[in-house]
Amino acid sequence: MSTASSFNNFIEQANLIDIPLGGPRFTWNDKWGSKFSKLDRFLAMDGVMDLFPHLMGFVLDKNIHDHPLILLLEHKVDYGPILFRFFNLWFDMDRFDDVVRGSWLKDVSSTNSWVIFKKNLQNLKSNIRVWNAFSRDHLCNKRKDLKDLLESIDARLMFDVDSAFLREQRVIV
């Protein structure tokens, strides 16, 4: 059994977790750059990852040493709330007015008018997302059906080139 396999078996039997490393993939290479290896690691017990779920190691660029420095840090990225985009096209689509009215008229249990306004906007945003996903799926299915119909008309036109009815149908579709 190789040394690397023995070490990996030890890690597994000791119930240790190899904390993921960011940055360069390897932590060592020979001076000619022909051999690369991941020699340096952070090993932790299961409970550590429960306490620090965003824990990761970060390999810094190698300057002087043959091994780069590795930082252990808890890295959680929060870019804030997801932006909401509104498209004018939605005004012309089916059931958009109903979604807006239904979202806005939903009963919100609060006496503070700002809280009611905020909750109405949150309801509107989530309902528009659901409606938009449904509308997008509906349009994709409609497009696929029309494409299938065109392909079937084209296939029939190959055998009946003089069919004015099929050519007229193809123009309508």
Side-chain angles (χ1 to χ4, degrees):
M1 183 181 280
S2 73
T3 309
S5 297
S6 298
F7 185 63
N8 288 336
N9 286 339
F10 164 75
I11 291 172
E12 188 176 322
Q13 289 172 359
N15 291 327
L16 295 174
I17 296 172
D18 190 2
I19 294 176
L21 296 178
R25 245 178 92 188
F26 301 104
T27 61
W28 178 86
N29 63 288
D30 66 355
K31 61 183 174 183
W32 300 281
S34 61
K35 296 177 185 175
F36 295 89
S37 186
K38 180 182 173 185
L39 296 178
D40 304 303
R41 306 169 180 223
F42 282 110
L43 299 175
M45 297 185 318
D46 282 331
V48 171
M49 293 306 285
D50 293 335
L51 293 172
F52 304 101
H54 304 286
L55 198 62
M56 69 176 285
F58 190 78
V59 180
L60 299 176
D61 288 332
K62 182 170 48 169
N63 289 333
I64 299 171
H65 309 287
D66 65 342
H67 291 275
L69 298 174
I70 303 175
L71 298 177
L72 182 64
L73 56 106
E74 187 172 23
H75 184 70
K76 180 179 179 186
V77 178
D78 182 11
Y79 295 107
I82 298 170
L83 296 176
F84 178 72
R85 291 188 174 101
F86 190 88
F87 299 99
N88 288 335
L89 168 73
W90 290 347
F91 285 118
D92 299 330
M93 293 177 69
D94 290 339
R95 294 188 48 243
F96 180 73
D97 293 342
D98 299 333
V99 170
V100 173
R101 271 192 213 94
S103 299
W104 208 257
L105 296 176
K106 186 176 181 182
D107 190 29
V108 177
S109 58
S110 179
T111 56
N112 186 334
S113 57
W114 287 109
V115 171
I116 293 171
F117 181 70
K118 178 185 170 209
K119 293 289 184 185
N120 282 339
L121 286 176
Q122 288 173 337
N123 289 334
L124 179 62
K125 182 179 178 180
S126 66
N127 290 345
I128 286 177
R129 281 204 172 126
V130 170
W131 168 82
N132 190 33
F134 174 79
S135 298
R136 195 176 324 117
D137 289 344
H138 178 72
L139 285 174
C140 286
N141 290 338
K142 190 174 180 180
R143 184 179 298 131
K144 183 185 178 305
D145 291 344
L146 287 173
K147 185 179 174 186
D148 292 344
L149 180 61
L150 274 174
E151 287 176 2
S152 71
I153 290 172
D154 287 346
R156 287 187 288 168
L157 271 172
M158 289 170 115
F159 297 108
D160 190 8
V161 179
D162 295 328
S163 174
F165 173 73
L166 286 177
R167 277 185 271 132
E168 185 176 310
Q169 243 188 342
R170 190 177 196 298
V171 170
I172 292 172
V173 172

